[in-house]
């Protein structure tokens, strides 16, 4: 079964820092498994910006491989701006995209910062996403 999910940038960073981790497994499922990444240009640009920051020292080739894989497997959506207050206004796009997809299909937002979003059953931690996938 395929599961649609918006992957928060913090999950990607954690995965790339340590591939053999719960976030690493979520990223692997997004590139090769049962997660279909939900994207738009803002999300993609944030991924590229954050993963390219010198402080992380991620190899450029690895970043490109991950971004290209997400693009290949992903579904691009446009979403309306929602009137929602979040601690970090830049997180709104992640919430808006998951809410747009939820109009037609079940979809999740996977984040390591669960408190940055409304408390909803479809906003999950990486570990919870693995449980949903039957891998946790």
């Amino acid at each position: 079964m395929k599961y649609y999910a918006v992957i928060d940038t913090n999950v990607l960073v954690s995965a790339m820092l340590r591939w053999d981790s719960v976030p690493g497994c979520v990223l692997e499922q997004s590139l090769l498994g049962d997660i279909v990444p939900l994207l738009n240009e803002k999300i993609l640009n944030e991924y590229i910006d954050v993963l390219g920051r010198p402080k992380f020292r991620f190899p450029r080739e690895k970043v490109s491989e991950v971004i290209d894989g997400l693009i290949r497997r992903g579904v691009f959506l446009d979403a309306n701006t929602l009137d929602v207050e979040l601690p970090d206004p830049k997180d709104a796009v992640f919430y808006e995209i998951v809410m747009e997809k939820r109009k037609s299909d079940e979809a999740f937002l996977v984040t390591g910062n669960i408190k940055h979003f409304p408390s909803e059953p479809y906003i999950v931690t990486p570990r919870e996403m693995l449980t949903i996938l039957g891998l946790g």
Side-chain angles (χ1 to χ4, degrees):
M1 185 166 171
K2 297 288 182 193
Y3 295 87
Y4 294 102
V6 178
I7 309 299
D8 198 353
T9 311
N10 61 66
V11 175
L12 291 186
V13 169
S14 295
M16 291 190 65
L17 286 170
R18 193 162 153 227
W19 284 94
D20 62 336
S21 64
V22 171
C25 190
V26 168
L27 178 56
E28 180 181 16
Q29 288 298 309
S30 299
L31 296 171
L32 305 168
D34 291 332
I35 295 175
V36 176
L38 298 174
L39 304 164
N40 75 358
E41 289 302 317
K42 280 186 181 178
I43 291 172
L44 195 57
N45 288 335
E46 179 170 324
Y47 290 170
I48 292 166
D49 175 56
V50 172
L51 296 178
R53 290 181 183 166
K55 71 178 180 178
F56 293 122
R57 298 183 178 167
F58 296 137
R60 188 170 289 161
E61 305 79 36
K62 189 50 105 177
V63 171
S64 291
E65 183 181 313
V66 167
I67 296 298
D68 291 346
L70 292 171
I71 290 170
R72 269 195 311 279
R73 301 250 3 255
V75 172
F76 280 77
L77 298 171
D78 290 320
N80 294 322
T81 301
L82 297 176
D83 187 22
V84 61
E85 282 193 38
L86 301 175
D88 183 352
K90 291 188 299 184
D91 286 337
V93 65
F94 295 92
Y95 186 71
E96 291 163 353
I97 291 296
V98 78
M99 294 308 292
E100 184 64 31
K101 187 61 177 170
R102 289 186 61 77
K103 291 177 182 176
S104 62
D105 295 288
E106 186 172 30
F108 299 90
L109 192 162
V110 184
T111 181
N113 295 327
I114 203 90
K115 292 180 182 179
H116 288 195
F117 296 96
S119 179
E120 298 288 350
Y122 50 85
I123 299 176
V124 298
T125 65
R127 183 164 305 284
E128 289 169 330
M129 190 70 225
L130 292 184
T131 300
I132 291 164
L133 293 168
L135 302 172

